[in-house]
Amino acid sequence: MTEHQGGCLCGGIRYETRAMPTRVTVCHCRFCQKATGSAYMVEPIFNSDDFAVLTGAPETFDLTSTGSGKTVHVHFCAECGTKLWLSFERFADAVGVYAGTFDNPCWFPMDPANSKHIFLGAARGDTVIPPGVPTYDAHVTTRDGHPLPATVFETCHRIKKA
């Protein structure tokens, strides 16, 4: 079993994951930019059965995704404001962790086999995308779940904006 813990800035909320992530999404959408205060969010995705809150009780902020039309639940510490994980109406059995909240945020692999970059259409100009990783201009699927084709760059790709 692979156990890794994380938590908020004040230490009031602690969580644990008990498996490897099923996938890692690097999201460049405006929601993730605002939620992280950065250019993108690194989000390892876990089966909800492999995620547990150890201490504390997070608050939840619900937001309807402009991409999917479904509710995204943002779980955060009311004391210090740290956003910790997301749960989803669209993917009821999944939890997406804000990677930077792990005690060791680099413990899981990110390679072409398990990761993807999404919403490159909203990505910051000057962002560098690694080679070999599936990328998408927006979501990976249509609203009704049909897969969209990926673009894979053979060399490092720099996002260019006018």
Side-chain angles (χ1 to χ4, degrees):
M1 190 174 287
T2 302
E3 295 178 353
H4 292 276
Q5 293 186 7
C8 63
L9 285 168
C10 72
I13 299 174
R14 298 287 300 161
Y15 66 82
E16 179 176 78
T17 58
R18 298 179 177 145
M20 295 296 289
T22 58
R23 64 190 180 280
V24 180
T25 300
V26 180
C27 186
H28 300 265
C29 78
R30 291 293 298 138
F31 168 84
C32 287
Q33 290 175 16
K34 286 184 179 191
T36 63
S38 186
Y40 54 86
M41 176 174 155
V42 176
E43 179 186 23
I45 308 290
F46 298 88
N47 291 321
S48 56
D49 290 343
D50 295 325
F51 179 87
V53 177
L54 301 174
T55 59
E59 294 290 326
T60 304
F61 173 73
D62 293 336
L63 179 73
T64 300
S65 167
T66 57
S68 70
K70 303 288 185 178
T71 303
V72 176
H73 311 284
V74 181
H75 303 269
F76 66 97
C77 176
E79 187 66 29
C80 67
T82 304
K83 291 175 215 64
L84 297 158
W85 68 88
L86 302 171
S87 57
F88 315 91
E89 177 184 4
R90 186 176 185 188
F91 308 109
D93 295 333
V95 174
V97 176
Y98 286 81
T101 66
F102 277 108
D103 295 341
N104 174 4
C106 299
W107 72 266
F108 54 90
M110 286 179 55
D111 56 49
N114 78 337
S115 65
K116 64 185 170 288
H117 284 249
I118 63 173
F119 283 95
L120 291 190
R124 223 187 106 81
D126 77 0
T127 301
V128 177
I129 307 300
V133 177
T135 67
Y136 300 84
D137 192 53
H139 274 291
V140 175
T141 63
T142 61
R143 279 187 178 215
D144 60 1
H146 290 92
L148 295 168
T151 299
V152 178
F153 301 106
E154 291 183 25
T155 61
C156 286
H157 177 76
R158 182 178 298 273
I159 302 293
K160 297 181 178 130
K161 299 283 180 170

